[in-house]
């Protein structure tokens, strides 16, 4: 009998446990005590900046450089979002993160019938090159790192971004940042698509190929577990499905003929920081180790940079409550701390009012200050991997699994179990099923002026009226011809951007060749 076993029988079991769920958010049982006997073999873990990178991708981690502080921003038209960008940069933010409205995410122009009432509501409306230029007006694109959260039309937005930078005198080689582009998780979780799976994957690989040759500072794909988790998955499901998505992109890029070490160093990841503190830290550490091992052993990477899992983290939107919204400040701080202790390279902290509406300026400032307090007051960045001890650690591929609805079913089941626990009062959510405040005052929230929709439509129609129509038609025709073959589509997309074709026109042209996607019901 070990000392820990003796302690459990003689001492711990003598007192009853309180009535609570002693499991992680994902349902994993949590033991009352962990000792040195639970530690893994140190050789499996390694040291910071060394294979398999469990303890961090860089040797000095935050002692050398703090993580990038990125606050998601986007609402109304490009003018309003440009003002928010400048505000955030003035208050110490170190990178820009762009939220697009639903029509832009779905490949619709602002004057499309399905866009009615949605223009600028949950992000900024970007229809044309002119909008992208306005979005970054007065912001030197060579000097700022930009993240763009868009997937199905990502190639179109990247083309707009490249040409907008050209007009600032900045070549693609100087642009730094990330565009999400993770189309597989759209079919799994977020449900924003334009095309069937195979042509959508072609566009992703086109972007990887283009960026590996022309944009060495740009991450063409942010492989995203965030939305899988927001859809209701467990931490294990988030990690498993996200890693498999990443491996699928690697496999398809190498099948295209790209050498793994030519593109893998520019792949990045995007994870959720949920409320279960230790489980989240364990998730990040396990993710780095698995990615490094598979890239080296399975895919033959030899460049150490290919094995580094660099990731952005966002605190969990699904953990925020509309009730007692100021309590969300505490939730976000806890989640942000787990991301930093887990070794993230970039972090977005949610604003306390995001369960109600797009964040107001005061809420955004508090969210950013949360990161700054962790960075400069807590002492947490002073040592590397301070909790480095324990960790948690086929259906024919992810494309086929998505077609069979396997990951979708798994996530739906996990989300259902979570809600059952809340409804039964087994899992306590402060302000929702315990510690309810019946006298709570409604929070003043940011409201989007409906007049902005008309403004954006007028702007779009003005661009169409002032451009050379024959150039736009020729560019769109060339795009369709290229799509019907097997050429990389990034150059034709950039030509469409230069000709001021709109996002909706570009997507419609591609749909004539690729078709559209219809999801099979999960249940």
């Amino acid at each position: 009998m070990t000392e820990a076993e003796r302690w459990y029988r003689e001492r711990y079991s003598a007192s009853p446990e309180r009535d609570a769920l002693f499991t992680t958010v994902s349902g994993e049982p949590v033991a009352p005590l962990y000792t040195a006997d639970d530690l893994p073999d140190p050789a499996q873990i390694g040291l910071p900046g060394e294979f398999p990178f469990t303890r961090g991708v860089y040797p000095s981690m935050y002692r050398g450089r703090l993580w990038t502080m990125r606050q998601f921003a986007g609402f109304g038209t490009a003018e309003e979002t440009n003002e928010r960008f400048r505000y955030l940069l003035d208050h110490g933010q170190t990178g820009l993160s762009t939220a697009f409205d639903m029509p832009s995410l779905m490949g619709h122009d602002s004057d499309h019938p399905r866009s009615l009432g949605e223009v600028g509501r949950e992000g900024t409306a970007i229809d044309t090159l002119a909008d992208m230029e306005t979005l970054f007006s007065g912001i030197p694109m060579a000097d700022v790192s930009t993240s763009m959260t868009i997937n199905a039309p990502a190639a179109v937005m990247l083309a707009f971004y490249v040409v907008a930078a050209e007009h600032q005198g900045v070549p693609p080689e100087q642009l730094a940042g990330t565009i999400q582009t993770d189309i597989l998780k759209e079919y799994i979780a977020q449900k924003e698509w334009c095309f069937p799976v195979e042509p959508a994957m072609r566009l992703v690989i086109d972007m990887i190929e283009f960026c590996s040759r022309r944009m060495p500072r740009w991450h063409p794909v942010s492989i995203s577990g965030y939305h899988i988790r927001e859809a209701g998955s467990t931490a294990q499901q988030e990690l498993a499905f996200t890693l498999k998505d990443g491996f699928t992109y690697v496999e398809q890029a190498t099948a295209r003929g790209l050498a793994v070490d030519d593109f893998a160093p520019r792949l990045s990841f995007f994870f959720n920081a949920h409320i279960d503190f230790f489980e989240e830290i364990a998730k990040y550490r396990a993710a780095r180790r698995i990615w490094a091992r598979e890239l080296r052993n399975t895919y033959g990477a030899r460049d150490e940079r290919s094995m580094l899992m660099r990731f952005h983290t966002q605190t969990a939107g699904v953990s925020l409550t509309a009730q007692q919204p100021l309590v969300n400040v505490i939730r976000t701080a806890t989640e942000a701390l787990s991301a930093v202790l887990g070794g993230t390279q970039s972090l977005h902290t949610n604003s306390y009012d995001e369960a109600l509406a797009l964040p107001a300026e005061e809420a955004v400032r508090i969210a950013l200050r949360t990161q700054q307090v962790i960075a400069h007051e807590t002492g947490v960045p002073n040592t590397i991997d301070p909790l480095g001890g324990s960790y948690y650690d086929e259906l024919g591929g992810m494309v086929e699994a998505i077609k069979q609805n396997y990951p979708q079913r798994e996530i739906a089941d996990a989300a259902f179990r979570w809600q059952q626990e809340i409804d039964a009062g087994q899992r306590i959510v402060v302000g929702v099923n315990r510690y309810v405040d019946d006298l709570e005052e409604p929070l003043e929230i940011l409201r989007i002026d409906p007049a902005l929709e008309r403004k954006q439509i007028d702007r779009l129609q003005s661009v169409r009226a002032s451009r050379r129509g024959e150039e736009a038609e020729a560019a769109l025709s060339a795009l369709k011809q290229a799509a019907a073959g097997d050429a990389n589509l990034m150059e034709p997309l950039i030509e469409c951007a230069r000709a001021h074709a709109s996002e909706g026109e570009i997507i419609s042209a591609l749909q004539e060749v690729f078709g559209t996607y219809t999801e099979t019901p999960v249940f």
Side-chain angles (χ1 to χ4, degrees), residues 453-498:
E453 181 165 286
R454 184 69 256 170
K455 174 184 174 183
Q456 180 64 21
I457 291 172
D458 290 345
R459 179 184 178 87
L460 168 62
Q461 293 175 346
S462 175
V463 168
R464 287 205 192 108
S466 61
R467 72 188 180 190
R468 296 178 183 271
E470 65 279 6
E471 290 183 4
E473 286 301 320
L476 290 167
S477 178
L479 174 64
K480 286 189 284 188
Q481 186 174 356
D486 58 4
N488 188 303
L489 298 182
M490 279 309 304
E491 290 293 352
L493 286 168
I494 288 172
E495 289 303 317
C496 287
R498 290 187 179 125

Side-chain angles (χ1 to χ4, degrees), residues 157-444:
M157 288 300 167
L158 183 61
F160 288 168
Y161 191 79
V162 166
V163 179
E166 279 180 5
H167 293 176
Q168 283 194 11
V170 181
E173 289 77 9
Q174 292 184 21
L175 295 173
T178 302
I179 191 163
Q180 197 164 97
T181 318
D182 183 2
I183 196 61
L184 289 175
K185 65 95 176 134
E186 290 296 327
Y187 299 108
I188 294 170
Q190 201 170 13
K191 314 300 185 184
E192 293 161 5
W193 52 66
C194 297
F195 314 112
V197 183
E198 283 86 357
M201 284 293 292
R202 172 187 171 182
L203 280 170
V204 174
I205 307 308
D206 284 352
M207 292 178 66
I208 292 173
E209 183 177 34
F210 177 82
C211 291
S212 69
R213 294 173 179 169
R214 296 290 312 279
M215 301 180 74
R217 302 179 64 208
W218 192 265
H219 296 274
V221 183
S222 177
I223 304 157
S224 303
Y226 185 86
H227 308 90
I228 292 172
R229 194 68 180 280
E230 291 289 287
S233 81
T234 66
Q236 292 94 328
Q237 290 169 340
E238 177 192 358
L239 183 53
F241 295 148
T242 304
L243 285 167
K244 185 57 180 176
D245 287 350
F247 298 146
T248 302
Y249 296 131
V250 171
E251 289 159 8
Q252 296 220 2
T254 54
R256 173 74 66 90
L258 300 177
V260 66
D261 286 328
D262 287 345
F263 67 87
R266 306 314 298 165
L267 298 178
S268 65
F269 284 79
F270 175 22
F271 287 116
N272 195 301
H274 215 290
I275 197 66
D276 195 309
F277 189 72
F278 293 115
E279 183 173 57
E280 294 304 292
I281 297 167
K283 178 184 72 181
Y284 307 132
R285 300 176 81 248
R288 280 192 294 268
R289 190 177 74 256
I290 296 168
W291 180 256
R293 182 189 69 211
E294 292 303 308
L295 263 289
R296 186 182 72 174
N297 298 348
T298 302
Y299 301 107
R302 293 295 174 261
D303 187 338
E304 189 174 83
R305 296 174 304 155
S306 298
M307 306 173 205
L308 303 184
M309 174 184 271
R310 286 162 294 199
F311 61 90
H312 171 70
T313 309
Q314 181 175 341
T315 57
V318 74
S319 72
L320 304 180
T321 64
Q323 302 90 337
Q324 302 180 37
L326 289 176
V327 177
N328 292 330
V329 175
I330 303 151
R331 294 186 178 101
T332 294
T334 302
E335 293 164 353
L337 185 58
S338 74
V340 172
L341 289 169
T344 191
Q345 278 61 67
S346 173
L347 179 60
H348 166 91
T349 33
N350 286 331
S351 301
Y352 62 78
D353 55 356
E354 288 191 51
L356 299 165
L358 290 173
E361 282 192 357
E362 172 66 14
V364 169
R365 184 164 56 248
I366 292 296
L368 180 57
R369 294 290 183 258
T370 300
Q371 294 198 47
Q372 292 165 338
V373 168
I374 293 171
H376 302 295
E377 296 186 31
T378 64
V380 166
N382 293 349
T383 189
I384 302 163
D385 193 29
L387 298 187
S390 61
Y391 58 93
Y392 298 100
D393 195 18
E394 104 151 59
L395 291 168
M398 184 53 85
V399 170
E400 191 59 34
I402 287 169
K403 290 180 179 178
Q404 294 180 27
N405 273 5
Y406 170 73
Q408 297 95 312
R409 281 196 308 273
E410 289 290 300
I411 294 167
D413 289 345
F416 182 66
R417 287 194 299 272
W418 166 267
Q419 192 59 49
Q420 279 187 313
E421 291 174 356
I422 293 174
D423 292 345
Q426 294 173 297
R427 189 168 298 281
I428 296 168
V429 180
V430 174
V432 177
N433 62 1
R434 188 77 64 86
Y435 313 113
V436 176
D437 184 358
D438 294 329
L439 301 178
E440 183 178 356
E441 293 290 329
L443 192 70
E444 187 172 336

